Amino acid sequence: MIAIVIWLIGMVIFFFILFNVIQHALNTSEMAKDLSEIKRLLREQAASRSTAAPPAPRDIAELRKVYDRCPGCGHAVQAHHLVCPDCGLRLT
């Protein structure tokens, strides 16, 4: 009975150490560093992007154009656009 308890405790300690070694390897990998850099750049880009309204139309022809918002960045896009001119997100 005691041998089983000692074996279970040993297995728990073994898997805990194994988990920590794998977690450390993943956190210090090049891929993790690249992902952290991408996240940082995206946050900076989102913070620097202004959410200003599109310019006011100058004539009646511009009033007739259909405007919508890009789901990625919120930039005004026209109905005929296939990609957002601001962020490049495919709209179709």
Side-chain angles (χ1 to χ4, degrees):
M1 181 67 176
I2 292 182
I4 294 173
V5 171
I6 292 173
W7 183 82
L8 286 173
I9 292 172
M11 286 289 103
V12 168
I13 292 171
F14 170 75
F15 283 114
F16 178 75
I17 292 171
L18 184 64
F19 172 79
N20 284 321
V21 167
I22 292 172
Q23 192 70 29
H24 177 72
L26 289 175
N27 288 341
T28 59
S29 70
E30 286 297 317
M31 184 174 62
K33 291 175 186 175
D34 291 343
L35 288 173
S36 296
E37 179 69 14
I38 290 170
K39 286 179 187 177
R40 184 187 65 76
L41 290 172
L42 287 173
R43 282 189 202 112
E44 287 177 5
Q45 184 182 16
S48 67
R49 180 169 293 162
S50 66
T51 57
R58 293 185 207 113
D59 61 5
I60 204 75
E62 285 189 48
L63 283 173
R64 291 186 180 139
K65 289 182 183 177
V66 178
Y67 283 96
D68 202 2
R69 296 276 175 196
C70 170
C73 66
H75 186 264
V77 293
Q78 296 175 3
H80 66 277
H81 284 151
L82 299 177
V83 295
C84 176
D86 192 44
C87 70
L89 180 69
R90 186 178 177 95
L91 299 172
T92 56

